[in-house]
Amino acid sequence: MPPVSVYSLTSSSISGVLTVFSVLSDVDDGSTVTDFLPAERARGITIQSAAITFHWPPDAQGQLDAPLATPRSLTTHTINLIDTPGHADFTFEVLRSLRILDGAVCILDGVAGVEAQTEKVWRQASNYRIPRIVYVNKLDRDGASFSRTVKEIGTRLAGWPAVCQIPWWEGGKGRFVGVGDAVGLRTMRWEGGRDGKAVKVSSFEELENSEKGLAEEVKKARVALVELLSEHDDNIVEKFIEYGEDHLAIPSADIIESLRRCVLDGSGTVIPVFAGASLRNIGVQPLLDAVIDLLPGPLERPDPEISIRGLKGGLYDLINGRFLLEHPDRESHKKHRSRKVLPPATSSTASNALIRGLEGCALAFKVVNDTRRGVLVYVRVYSGTISRHAPLFNTNLHSTERAPRLLRMYASDAVDVPFISCGQIGVIVGLKHARTGDTLISYHGANHKTGPPSPMSSLQLRPIEVPPPVFFASVEPRSLGEEKHLEEALAILLREDPSLNVSVDEDSGQTLLGGMGELHLEIARDRLVGDFKAKADMGKIEIGYRECVLGYSSKPEIRTFDKEIAGKRGRATCQASIKPAPDPYLRTLSKEEARSTVKEGNLVSISIVGVSADGTPTEPSGNPLPPHLDPLELFQALTNGALAALARGPKYNFPIHTTHVLLSVNPSSDVFGLESTTAAFSSAARMATLAALKTASAETGSGLMEPVMHVIVSVDEPSLGAVVHDISAARGGHILSLGDSNDGTLRPPSSPETLPIDPKKIYTPPDPFGDSFNMGRQESHQRSIVARVPLKEMVGYLKHLRSLTGGRGTFVMSVDRFERMGAQRERVVLQELRGL
């Protein structure tokens, strides 16, 4: 079964139902099983993603992961569950989990409904086309509204809610006791304590005799479900006709299969919705059944994307003797795709021999430093198996390490296993160098030093993108004797969380720690002091500004690198020129004839005379580069050199942004035999780019840029005016739109063809305490403000927002772009930075 992402309270309830852990846990009192860090338990939030592996159903008859049964939940399956954070500051934890998931359960608060952060994560899941289902939680709390939440799913998540369960309130208006199952035409009532074990299941016929009102609503839910599926699945239309157009006569197994077909495409057009209260373990067991019945297994997901020597394709295509190559760089190949046997083997037999040596391929998606076990590297295995003591070649670092121990994790507890098989998530203990996003392969007969034969040594799964930090704070040891300990602690922290960043200010010598938000840096400080016992102090939060050049460099700068490195002479020449690259240009950039890379807001274009952008010769005479220089590796080395030069601006020492670097190499004059290595060219590119930056800045000047955030603020109606005025007047923000939190006007479409969903066409059962979705009371009416605000003005905004709204306002923000400051604002910011 798939790795599945869920929210803390529900994941801890799952743990309790399975009796994997001896004591039931609760996020509200800080005992959630998957929230095992002290900071998580103290704050009652999830900070790090945590993994649990278990079997469901635990008492089913039949072999584990046996061939298909109908429904699938009748057969025991293995589920890898990942509990992810919900706070915006820990978005990277969600991103690296989404990268390796097969399916996701979106947990919504039945009181709060669909929140701004929910929309953000939902869009991220849509980018990966991850199949999803929704679970409306906390329906036992005062103010919970299942109907309002379902309508918000449609209007704000851009999909049609398929209501598979409806809440059961005792007597129609009493406490929440169970659910009505529209798929199986039955009800489930949880009785007794919080363990969730005592469940009474009643058939539809029994329900009609005892609870006529609930039976009628279950019937309406089934009719609405079949009608919705008929609009998106032709097979269910055939079943509807086959059973005499009777909505109730269609077998539940056919309904499940139809839901599954709609979910597996990953578009989120049809969203199955389930109900429950995880604190009391109501609805958790049928939710797990739905995970098995509706979400995909590893082999039902698209072919994992890989690259070999810069050429992209699919992992399963590679294993099956095919390799799908794209030619995006040349104009003649923009729409052309062709299947080729893996180069550079001279025959299909040789290629197959190379591929057969691949015993296992895995992606490292998380690194944790455990005080008892040492370094734990979480991996998702995409092909073959990873066995204990097997040598693992890291294709990103080109190093080999052995896997001394393999673990299957149960949050902070673990069980030793002899191997990790395809599709599973596990932990490798003791790897010294592996990082988040590294590809690890086990290859039969690989050389321990050089790894697998080329080109298998360059096989890489699609990496995990790390967003750049936007907040910074200085970190200083309390004494010189603590400096080394602080450096070691920071190194461990950065390996665990790549979204943190450490840099040193060359002018002041201060160590700067960068992160995604105020809470992110606060947690990092607490871990440094509390977990790693570092005696250090952290300064106030600062903003990560950028620098840009305002004009062209008048002439290309030519620099030659000529130094001895590790006892070997290195010599190479590179030419560089600089010009501004407006942000809209970067966003809509099409491939040029020169090989171009857009990274961290800059564009680097490289031209090698006689070599095309895909590394092939352009002249009949052949490759002008010497045999020891691989064209693709040279392109990458030159790019890395330019990016290194862009890390610090010539005037303000901030990273360069929205700048176009043009590098040129002429093999006839810039290559000096064996002395011209890729490392030498990288250094030459860095020197030439630095010189061009200084020339451009001296001739045309440099500007200061600041991060501008895309902010969504949710407030009640009476507070709307005060918050809008505060954003636009006091904080210099630009209001993009004002809308109802529930009317769908704020929902960005998932595609240009997506039409807004009319909430009147969405089926919802009546709420026992009134339809709060259409309530006209002003004090309960939620409004949303979408704005673009400079990040500097958003520091400490949460406390201010709560004071304006009486504690009811919430907001979520993400980096929208970097914008150049006006002259007056630039002077003010520079004075603040200089302490004036």
Side-chain angles (χ1 to χ4, degrees):
M1 264 308 289
V4 180
S5 174
V6 300
Y7 171 70
S8 301
L9 182 59
T10 301
S11 66
S12 57
S13 298
I14 289 169
S15 303
V17 169
L18 295 173
T19 65
V20 173
F21 305 95
S22 57
V23 181
L24 280 171
S25 49
D26 179 10
V27 70
D28 296 328
D29 61 24
S31 62
T32 304
V33 175
T34 49
D35 293 341
F36 53 84
L37 290 178
E40 292 177 315
R41 301 209 165 189
R43 289 174 169 81
I45 61 172
T46 301
I47 295 171
Q48 285 191 350
S49 55
I52 300 174
T53 300
F54 61 90
H55 305 310
W56 184 265
D59 55 353
Q61 301 296 319
Q63 184 181 359
L64 181 66
D65 291 327
L68 178 65
T70 304
R72 291 166 176 79
S73 53
L74 295 178
T75 304
T76 297
H77 287 70
T78 301
I79 297 180
N80 296 287
L81 180 147
I82 298 179
D83 174 29
T84 58
H87 196 283
D89 281 11
F90 306 105
T91 297
F92 178 69
E93 283 290 329
V94 180
L95 284 175
R96 63 175 166 186
S97 297
L98 287 175
R99 170 64 184 82
I100 53 92
L101 291 178
D102 291 327
V105 181
C106 177
I107 311 295
L108 300 181
D109 186 332
V111 180
V114 177
E115 300 177 82
Q117 179 65 8
T118 307
E119 295 182 78
K120 182 178 179 180
V121 175
W122 189 269
R123 289 195 294 272
Q124 291 167 344
S126 296
N127 292 337
Y128 288 102
R129 297 192 69 85
I130 295 176
R132 286 147 283 167
I133 63 177
V134 169
Y135 174 72
V136 182
N137 190 24
K138 302 184 181 181
L139 292 176
D140 57 337
R141 296 194 175 184
D142 293 339
S145 175
F146 182 77
S147 296
R148 184 199 69 240
T149 303
V150 170
K151 288 184 182 290
E152 289 181 358
I153 291 170
T155 57
R156 301 184 69 173
L157 301 185
W160 288 97
V163 178
C164 299
Q165 294 175 350
I166 61 173
W168 181 2
W169 280 277
E170 192 171 37
K173 290 185 178 291
R175 62 190 180 93
F176 179 61
V177 295
V179 298
D181 183 2
V183 176
L185 290 177
R186 57 179 183 170
T187 57
M188 289 169 278
R189 179 184 177 119
W190 277 258
E191 300 172 340
R194 288 175 50 188
D195 60 9
K197 293 181 179 179
V199 184
K200 181 181 178 181
V201 180
S202 302
S203 66
F204 188 71
E205 292 75 15
E206 294 172 333
L207 189 63
E208 285 184 310
N209 296 328
S210 59
E211 296 277 352
K212 290 186 178 180
L214 181 60
E216 186 62 29
E217 200 57 48
V218 170
K219 180 179 178 180
K220 290 180 182 178
R222 165 58 89 92
V223 172
L225 180 60
V226 172
E227 290 292 329
L228 175 62
L229 292 176
S230 298
E231 296 178 7
H232 299 89
D233 181 27
D234 292 338
N235 290 350
I236 203 68
V237 176
E238 296 176 3
K239 290 293 181 181
F240 181 63
I241 297 173
E242 179 183 340
Y243 285 93
E245 301 186 1
D246 184 353
H247 299 82
L248 305 185
I250 301 175
S252 60
D254 292 324
I255 301 286
I256 291 173
E257 288 303 307
S258 178
L259 283 167
R260 183 179 176 84
R261 285 190 291 271
C262 293
V263 168
L264 289 191
D265 68 357
S267 66
T269 304
V270 174
I271 308 172
V273 181
F274 299 85
S278 296
L279 182 61
R280 294 167 54 199
N281 280 291
I282 296 177
V284 176
Q285 298 98 319
L287 175 64
L288 285 171
D289 288 341
V291 167
I292 293 175
D293 287 333
L294 303 182
L295 296 182
L299 297 180
E300 295 173 290
R301 294 290 289 140
D303 194 355
E305 182 182 319
I306 62 169
S307 66
I308 295 182
R309 294 167 58 87
L311 302 171
K312 295 182 179 180
L315 178 60
Y316 302 144
D317 277 334
L318 172 68
I319 294 172
N320 294 325
R322 305 182 304 273
F323 189 52
L324 186 62
L325 302 182
E326 295 182 353
H327 303 273
D329 297 303
R330 287 175 174 259
E331 186 69 23
S332 60
H333 290 296
K334 280 186 177 179
K335 297 183 179 180
H336 178 66
R337 299 165 67 91
S338 61
R339 292 188 176 270
K340 295 184 179 180
V341 177
L342 179 68
T346 57
S347 67
S348 59
T349 303
S351 279
N352 291 334
L354 282 173
I355 296 166
R356 282 196 299 270
L358 184 64
E359 297 177 339
C361 180
L363 180 72
F365 69 94
K366 183 178 177 66
V367 179
V368 174
N369 187 70
D370 188 272
T371 54
R372 293 178 297 165
R373 305 182 186 92
V375 176
L376 308 179
V377 179
Y378 285 74
V379 298
R380 163 73 191 270
V381 180
Y382 282 95
S383 72
T385 59
I386 300 296
S387 301
R388 185 189 300 156
H389 303 304
L392 299 177
F393 182 74
N394 188 320
T395 60
N396 297 80
L397 301 177
H398 296 281
S399 62
T400 301
E401 298 182 82
R402 288 195 177 271
R405 289 181 66 194
L406 303 178
L407 303 176
R408 175 174 291 169
M409 296 303 295
Y410 297 93
S412 59
D413 297 323
V415 174
D416 281 271
V417 293
F419 60 86
I420 307 171
S421 57
C422 179
Q424 298 299 319
I425 286 176
V427 169
I428 305 174
V429 182
L431 297 184
K432 296 180 180 180
H433 306 294
R435 310 159 305 176
T436 295
D438 284 352
T439 299
L440 306 174
I441 64 174
S442 175
Y443 195 88
H444 178 71
N447 184 292
H448 184 75
K449 291 185 178 180
T450 61
S454 180
M456 297 299 289
S457 58
S458 63
L459 188 156
Q460 291 184 6
L461 291 157
R462 184 175 58 169
I464 299 171
E465 296 294 331
V466 181
V470 289
F471 284 93
F472 291 86
S474 62
V475 181
E476 295 297 329
R478 294 176 184 172
S479 66
L480 288 176
E482 290 294 325
E483 188 170 355
K484 184 177 180 181
H485 184 198
L486 176 61
E487 290 177 356
E488 293 173 349
L490 285 172
I492 295 172
L493 201 59
L494 263 64
R495 193 179 176 198
E496 289 190 5
D497 185 358
S499 62
L500 291 170
N501 176 273
V502 171
S503 58
V504 177
D505 189 311
E506 292 185 1
D507 295 331
S508 65
Q510 280 188 320
T511 300
L512 300 177
L513 181 64
M516 302 301 296
E518 296 174 82
L519 181 60
H520 193 200
L521 289 179
E522 182 182 334
I523 296 295
R525 179 201 63 197
D526 292 349
R527 294 205 64 202
L528 278 175
V529 176
D531 296 352
F532 301 118
K533 309 301 179 185
K535 295 179 180 179
D537 296 312
M538 184 175 286
K540 66 176 184 178
I541 301 259
E542 298 177 0
I543 306 302
Y545 296 104
R546 298 291 187 268
E547 186 176 336
C548 64
V549 293
L550 302 182
Y552 292 69
S553 54
S554 58
K555 60 179 181 178
E557 296 290 338
I558 302 174
R559 292 293 183 273
T560 298
F561 175 82
D562 189 357
K563 287 185 180 180
E564 192 173 283
I565 304 175
K568 293 183 178 180
R569 171 66 61 181
R571 188 157 59 123
T573 299
C574 183
Q575 175 178 291
S577 58
I578 295 290
K579 64 180 181 179
D583 189 57
Y585 171 69
L586 292 176
R587 294 184 180 213
T588 59
L589 178 71
S590 60
K591 291 288 184 180
E592 301 179 0
E593 188 64 29
R595 190 177 180 91
S596 299
T597 301
V598 176
K599 193 167 184 179
E600 298 177 0
N602 297 299
L603 171 64
V604 178
S605 297
I606 301 172
S607 174
I608 301 177
V609 177
V611 180
S612 68
D614 60 3
T616 57
T618 59
E619 301 296 334
S621 57
N623 188 359
L625 296 172
H628 72 280
L629 280 179
D630 181 87
L632 297 180
E633 292 179 1
L634 180 56
F635 277 127
Q636 188 60 52
L638 291 167
T639 301
N640 292 341
L643 293 175
L646 296 172
R648 289 177 64 86
K651 186 173 182 180
Y652 303 117
N653 291 330
F654 288 113
I656 293 292
H657 199 272
T658 58
T659 297
H660 189 176
V661 181
L662 299 99
L663 299 179
S664 177
V665 172
N666 188 338
S668 63
S669 59
D670 299 339
V671 177
F672 304 93
L674 295 176
E675 293 181 352
S676 296
T677 62
T678 54
F681 270 109
S682 181
S683 298
R686 181 175 180 273
M687 293 167 59
T689 305
L690 282 172
L693 281 172
K694 290 179 180 179
T695 300
S697 178
E699 294 176 349
T700 64
S702 295
L704 200 60
M705 307 181 74
E706 66 178 337
V708 177
M709 311 303 286
H710 181 270
V711 184
I712 302 177
V713 186
S714 297
V715 299
D716 55 2
E717 185 77 32
S719 306
L720 181 66
V723 175
V724 168
H725 181 267
D726 177 68
I727 291 174
S728 57
R731 301 182 184 275
H734 175 62
I735 304 296
L736 299 179
S737 65
L738 298 174
D740 191 334
S741 287
N742 304 324
D743 64 7
T745 58
L746 299 174
R747 174 187 54 79
S750 56
S751 65
E753 296 79 18
T754 302
L755 297 176
I757 292 177
D758 185 356
K760 296 179 181 179
K761 296 182 180 180
I762 299 174
Y763 162 78
T764 60
D767 278 328
F769 310 108
D771 188 358
S772 59
F773 183 82
N774 294 315
M775 288 176 68
R777 295 181 303 172
Q778 191 181 45
E779 61 270 22
S780 66
H781 194 61
Q782 288 292 304
R783 300 293 298 275
S784 288
I785 306 161
V786 180
R788 294 176 63 244
V789 188
L791 176 59
K792 182 178 182 295
E793 307 300 330
M794 296 302 294
V795 175
Y797 180 64
L798 182 58
K799 292 180 181 178
H800 185 69
L801 177 64
R802 286 174 175 171
S803 69
L804 288 176
T805 61
R808 292 184 293 272
T810 61
F811 80 99
V812 64
M813 65 179 181
S814 58
V815 178
D816 184 65
R817 65 183 66 191
F818 281 84
E819 287 187 353
R820 191 188 165 200
M821 300 179 190
Q824 176 63 28
R825 184 171 178 82
E826 184 174 310
R827 281 194 296 271
V828 172
V829 170
L830 288 174
Q831 287 177 354
E832 291 180 357
L833 291 173
R834 292 164 181 163
L836 301 178

